[in-house]
Amino acid sequence: MRSSTRRPGRPSLLTPERIENIVKATAVGVTTSLAAEGAGVSRATVARWMARGRDC
């Protein structure tokens, strides 16, 4: 039987460190594309994370 706290699938790349890096970069004027590249993810991934955050 599966634990109810585990989600199936691949673990998210959205870590507190990545959030901090992306927020700091965009706060000083770095584009979303460059901030995403610096965090090691695609611009589309960052856009999806941002959209998910707006839904909360």
Side-chain angles (χ1 to χ4, degrees), residues 4 12-15 19 22 28 31-32 36 45 51-52 56:
S4 62
S12 176
L13 293 174
L14 184 59
T15 62
I19 294 169
I22 292 168
V28 296
T31 64
T32 304
T45 297
R52 190 184 322 160
C56 294

Side-chain angles (χ1 to χ4, degrees), residues 4-38:
S4 62
T5 58
R6 286 189 59 196
R7 293 178 51 189
R10 184 176 173 183
S12 176
L13 293 174
L14 184 59
T15 62
E17 294 82 19
R18 277 203 172 94
I19 294 169
E20 184 177 345
N21 290 340
I22 292 168
V23 168
K24 283 182 178 179
T26 55
V28 296
V30 174
T31 64
T32 304
S33 296
L34 288 176
E37 185 179 326

